Every structure is written in structure tokens, then in C-alpha cells.
Amino acid sequence: GAGVSQSPSNKVTEKGKDVELRCDPISGHTALYWYRQSLGQGLEFLIYFQGNSAPDKSGLPSDRFSAERTGGSVSTLTIQRTQQEDSAVYLCASSPREGVQETQYFGPGTRLLVL
Amino acid sequence: AQTVTQSQPEMSVQEAETVTLSCTYDTSESDYYLFWYKQPPSRQMILVIRQEAYKQQNATENRFSVNFQKAAKSFSLKISDSQLGDAAMYFCAYGEGNTPLVFGKGTRLSVIA
């Protein structure tokens, strides 16, 4: 079956512009995660959606970052007024249910470059 | 907060040889999971192996096995009979309950033909 897909694959933007990154999880997966991977760093948790529960936004680095998940499926991560330090690979993952015991399936990521 | 440390930024191994990647973590919990993920140049993270903390037996998946030392909070990955396709970034990760995974900074593995 289809895996997690993300678009665009690469995005170059100018400082101060807004960007939207999209994630299509595996069909039927109720949990969805966004991570950020900066150069030479591990994955940094950003936000987590589980079913109809309020999302866990504890990892968002600033109020310029927001995310939504429509209809329990597709998710969009929005970065407003981008800064150069936002340059990174943004990875999305989904799992069948919530809980660390569930395997997270990752998408290929979106590489964001802010000039 | 839980932390995961991978002390080897880069490792290399000859094809067909064995290599061990190190990972240590810090937690006060007794029930948790540990993972090794592989990230090839395609960027897509792939789960290699997982270990449940309450299981004493070390997990094994084909050529991949772990050495889980709960008291020492150590979770190393052994790759046997290394293949060129094993070349990638490897990330160790910790998880508990419904909280997001905590990842180490990764080890870049090169496989020499």
C-alpha cells in the first residue's frame, strides 16, 4: 500500500515569506507526527495529532509555527515569516494508533531552504 | 527530560564485517521502548529494530541485533555481515507511553567495499 507522502520534496523561499508543508499519512493511521531535522542534528519533535484529541504542540519552537490536520487525515505545517534558522528537513510520520509501542512510518521529508 | 546520546558521529566498516553502534539514554522510567532507525540518502526513516524495556532478551532482526543493558541504560546496535546497502545515518530513539520519540543525533555509517 501507499506509504506516507510529503510535498513539496524541496522548497526554497525568501526570508519573511510564509510556507506550507503537506503530509499525507497512511490511510487509517490515527496518529500523525511532525519532526524537524536540522543539519547534523537528530530529529526534533514539533507537534503530534491523535484522533480527535487536542494536538500536542509542546515542540513548536515559536508562534510562527502552526499545524492542522483536516478530517483526521492530511496535515499541513505552516511556518510564517520564515527565518534562515528554519532551514531544515521537515519529516512527517504516522502510526496506526497512539502510543510508543506503535511503529512510526516516516515520509521522505521536505527540505526547506530559507535564503 | 529523557535524553539519547550517540557518541559516534561517524563509523566505517568493511563489507562483510561486523560493526557496533553505541547509544546511551537517560530516564527514570522502567517501562519504555528503544528503537534504531536507518536514514538512507533518500531521507526516509526506516525502522530497523525495536526493544521493549521489560523484555530481557535482546531483539534480533536478521543481520541486526541489539545489546540492551537496562541497568547501564545502554542500547547498542550490531550489524553483522555488513552490506553496501547498510550505509546510512542510524538514529537511536527512546519512547514511553504516548509521548513523542526522543532521538539521538545519529551515527553516519560508511561501508567500504
Side-chain angles (χ1 to χ4, degrees):
Chain A
V4 177
S5 61
Q6 293 185 245
S7 60
S9 179
N10 296 282
K11 176 72 175 178
V12 180
T13 190
E14 294 179 348
K15 178 181 173 181
K17 296 284 182 68
D18 297 352
V19 295
E20 286 189 350
L21 312 180
R22 177 186 169 106
C23 172
D24 282 88
I26 294 173
S27 178
H29 281 197
T30 61
L32 187 148
Y33 305 80
W34 282 98
Y35 296 91
R36 178 170 70 175
Q37 184 178 19
S38 302
L39 188 63
Q41 302 295 315
L43 276 68
E44 171 191 9
F45 162 72
L46 296 177
I47 188 169
Y48 161 42
F49 295 90
Q50 170 52 32
N52 296 321
S53 302
D56 178 353
K57 304 180 181 180
S58 60
L60 294 178
S62 78
D63 59 7
R64 295 186 296 104
F65 288 72
S66 63
E68 63 178 21
R69 188 178 185 191
T70 55
S73 181
V74 172
S75 178
T76 302
L77 176 69
T78 301
I79 309 174
Q80 296 179 310
R81 304 181 302 282
T82 52
Q83 303 294 313
Q84 290 182 332
E85 60 262 29
D86 299 335
S87 296
V89 175
Y90 290 82
L91 291 164
C92 173
S94 70
S95 62
R97 287 164 293 278
E98 70 175 329
V100 70
Q101 72 278 5
E102 300 289 333
T103 297
Q104 292 187 24
Y105 297 85
F106 283 80
T110 293
R111 183 181 299 278
L112 175 65
L113 177 61
V114 182
L115 301 177
Chain B
Q2 286 75 12
T3 58
V4 177
T5 302
Q6 294 179 249
S7 59
Q8 307 152 315
E10 295 184 358
M11 293 281 286
S12 62
V13 62
Q14 290 283 140
E15 198 175 6
E17 296 295 309
T18 295
V19 65
T20 299
L21 308 184
S22 301
C23 173
T24 58
Y25 58 95
D26 186 25
T27 184
S28 58
E29 301 294 327
S30 60
D31 188 15
Y32 52 86
Y33 288 72
L34 296 163
F35 306 84
W36 279 98
Y37 277 88
K38 171 184 178 181
Q39 186 181 41
S42 67
R43 295 199 309 242
Q44 193 146 9
M45 301 275 283
I46 303 165
L47 179 65
V48 174
I49 198 166
R50 55 188 276 162
Q51 175 80 39
E52 296 157 45
Y54 66 85
K55 289 188 176 179
Q56 294 186 341
Q57 186 172 6
N58 288 324
T60 299
E61 288 287 342
N62 300 313
R63 298 182 295 106
F64 299 86
S65 62
V66 299
N67 183 4
F68 174 47
Q69 301 289 326
K70 191 172 184 179
K73 298 179 183 175
S74 171
F75 182 61
S76 60
L77 175 69
K78 185 172 81 171
I79 307 174
S80 304
D81 185 25
S82 297
Q83 301 175 0
L84 295 178
D86 295 334
M89 284 289 290
Y90 286 83
F91 292 94
C92 178
Y94 166 99
E96 61 178 70
N98 294 333
T99 60
L101 296 179
V102 177
F103 287 83
K105 292 188 177 182
T107 296
R108 181 176 303 280
L109 178 67
S110 301
V111 181
I112 303 165

